[in-house]
Amino acid sequence: VYRFRGQLGELNPVGLFDEGIRFFNQFEGDIVDGPFAGGRISGPDFFVLRPSGVGEIHAPELIEFEDHRVVLDVRGYLVGPAGLTMPPLDVVLTPGFEFPDVEFRVTASALAATTSPGFDHLNAAVIAVEGTVNMGTGAMDVTARVLDAPAARP
């Protein structure tokens, strides 16, 4: 479906809830591979950092390419590299806290919706989303591919 390289905007913590720190962030990027190469991708990132250090992703995305528009509802997890110990959540909320300059792994799935001719097979597809996000710099490198779509079955 795509590979994009982009940037996570400023991290905006909403507060500490029972399930962890809720963030309301934005991201945007350039699609560098796939049928939408040359297009743009953007959206909000409703992110929860759990006490375990695992991040829960809910990122509605908008792909814009020529006259085509596709929305994806991405849900999954963000996990730090082996050996990384995240500080307690109250420390993360301390003014001036900076995430380490390391890549966190993205593993997610998505459902898509579009009315664009030629891409309607995405409306029934299961999409895998994988890549990395550097929480320190905001750099993103993410790939999405169709795992299964009814039109592709024999």
Side-chain angles (χ1 to χ4, degrees):
V1 178
Y2 65 69
R3 177 178 183 195
F4 85 85
R5 292 189 180 124
Q7 190 67 31
L8 182 63
E10 180 181 346
L11 299 178
N12 295 303
V14 176
L16 182 57
F17 294 79
D18 290 341
E19 63 274 18
I21 301 172
R22 288 192 172 274
F23 291 85
F24 183 86
N25 308 315
Q26 299 285 331
F27 70 93
E28 62 182 344
D30 297 315
I31 300 175
V32 297
D33 195 17
F36 302 105
R40 299 278 300 155
I41 190 167
S42 62
D45 173 31
F46 307 115
F47 180 71
V48 176
L49 181 61
R50 297 176 178 170
S52 66
V54 171
E56 185 178 322
I57 300 166
H58 179 202
E61 300 176 344
L62 172 63
I63 294 172
E64 297 176 284
F65 173 70
E66 298 175 351
D67 292 335
H68 304 288
R69 303 290 178 270
V70 179
V71 294
L72 287 91
D73 186 14
V74 177
R75 294 176 185 255
Y77 299 102
L78 186 75
V79 179
L84 176 69
T85 302
M86 288 297 294
L89 296 181
D90 60 328
V91 173
V92 175
L93 281 174
T94 303
F97 173 82
E98 293 184 14
F99 279 91
D101 182 2
V102 297
E103 291 183 341
F104 287 69
R105 178 178 46 87
V106 172
T107 305
S109 63
L111 299 178
T114 185
T115 58
S116 291
F119 296 105
D120 56 341
H121 66 284
L122 295 175
N123 292 326
V126 176
I127 300 169
V129 180
E130 300 171 304
T132 59
V133 176
N134 184 316
M135 296 294 288
T137 66
M140 304 174 73
D141 190 343
V142 180
T143 300
R145 61 187 168 82
V146 173
L147 289 179
D148 187 32
R153 293 186 189 149

